[in-house]
Amino acid sequence: MADTTIQDYFKNLGNALFDVTTTTPTTPSVPSVYDPAYIKNTYPNYQGTPYDQYTLGALKDAQGLIGSTGYTAYPEYVASQQKAPTQTDYVEYNPISPLANVTAPDYKNGLFGGDYDALQSALTTPGANAATTAYNQGTANLTNVMGGRGLYGSSIMQNQQTNALDSTYQRAMADNAANAAATRYAMQQKAAED
């Protein structure tokens, strides 16, 4: 009992209680390709290194574990699937068939199928979003600067808000809307002429 570890003691006790017999892994009878003698016979010009005993030994041990048929931890284990599944037959894939019921938009009446209100909205929205974001950022910056100087709510802050932010924002929104309307009516007139 002194020669065995506590793990071995409980493993043997459990095996005895449940009538389990253990098997030890066996190395395959095929000559190991990681055996130094096999390498020297196969490759006569090979010059060994001092590290061969470690690398080849580890690879040989791994090969023994892979090739062994016994499992000491689970001696009664039997794999539920003894061989790999087979590949199913190839199903012909036709990428066009899913799109068969989708109709393409009709562009013959101009962009957006003649819906120039949608065109104008699409041209206006990005500029309006950018101007609003810049205005909100400018308002936040002005509030932080004026608040830090003790001028929050003062006439100086109001003048900065009106002259620097509000008027610039309103001018940007008006220019954006005018450019979108001009583009819309130019395209609408060209489509009417065609």
Side-chain angles (χ1 to χ4, degrees):
M1 179 87 156
D3 294 336
T4 61
T5 64
I6 195 76
Q7 289 91 357
D8 290 335
Y9 174 75
F10 282 108
K11 184 173 88 173
N12 293 335
L13 179 65
N15 290 342
L17 287 173
F18 296 106
D19 198 28
V20 175
T21 57
T22 59
T23 58
T24 55
T26 57
T27 55
S29 60
V30 182
S32 173
V33 293
Y34 302 113
D35 186 21
Y38 176 81
I39 292 174
K40 198 144 201 70
N41 289 338
T42 308
Y43 305 102
N45 295 333
Y46 175 73
Q47 297 295 323
T49 67
Y51 303 105
D52 282 352
Q53 63 179 338
Y54 304 112
T55 55
L56 294 177
L59 291 171
K60 185 177 180 181
D61 290 344
Q63 183 185 26
L65 291 173
I66 292 170
S68 70
T69 57
Y71 300 95
T72 57
Y74 302 103
E76 301 298 322
Y77 174 75
V78 177
S80 60
Q81 187 163 347
Q82 298 296 323
K83 58 182 183 174
T86 58
Q87 183 175 352
T88 58
D89 292 334
Y90 174 73
V91 178
E92 185 177 348
Y93 172 68
N94 186 356
I96 303 302
S97 59
L99 302 176
N101 296 328
V102 177
T103 58
D106 182 16
Y107 293 113
K108 64 184 175 186
N109 291 327
L111 195 62
F112 288 99
D115 188 359
Y116 290 98
D117 291 334
L119 170 65
Q120 184 174 353
S121 175
L123 292 172
T124 306
T125 302
N129 289 345
T132 302
T133 302
Y135 175 77
N136 292 338
Q137 183 64 44
T139 302
N141 289 345
L142 180 65
T143 301
N144 290 338
V145 169
M146 291 297 170
R149 294 181 181 169
L151 298 172
Y152 183 80
S154 68
S155 61
I156 297 171
M157 181 178 174
Q158 184 61 41
N159 286 338
Q160 289 287 326
Q161 179 80 29
T162 303
N163 296 331
L165 289 173
D166 293 343
S167 61
T168 305
Y169 175 66
Q170 290 171 3
R171 189 170 39 256
M173 293 294 281
D175 290 347
N176 183 45
N179 289 337
T183 304
R184 174 233 173 117
Y185 289 120
M187 290 185 73
Q188 195 170 1
Q189 182 180 2
K190 185 173 187 270
E193 291 172 357
D194 291 340

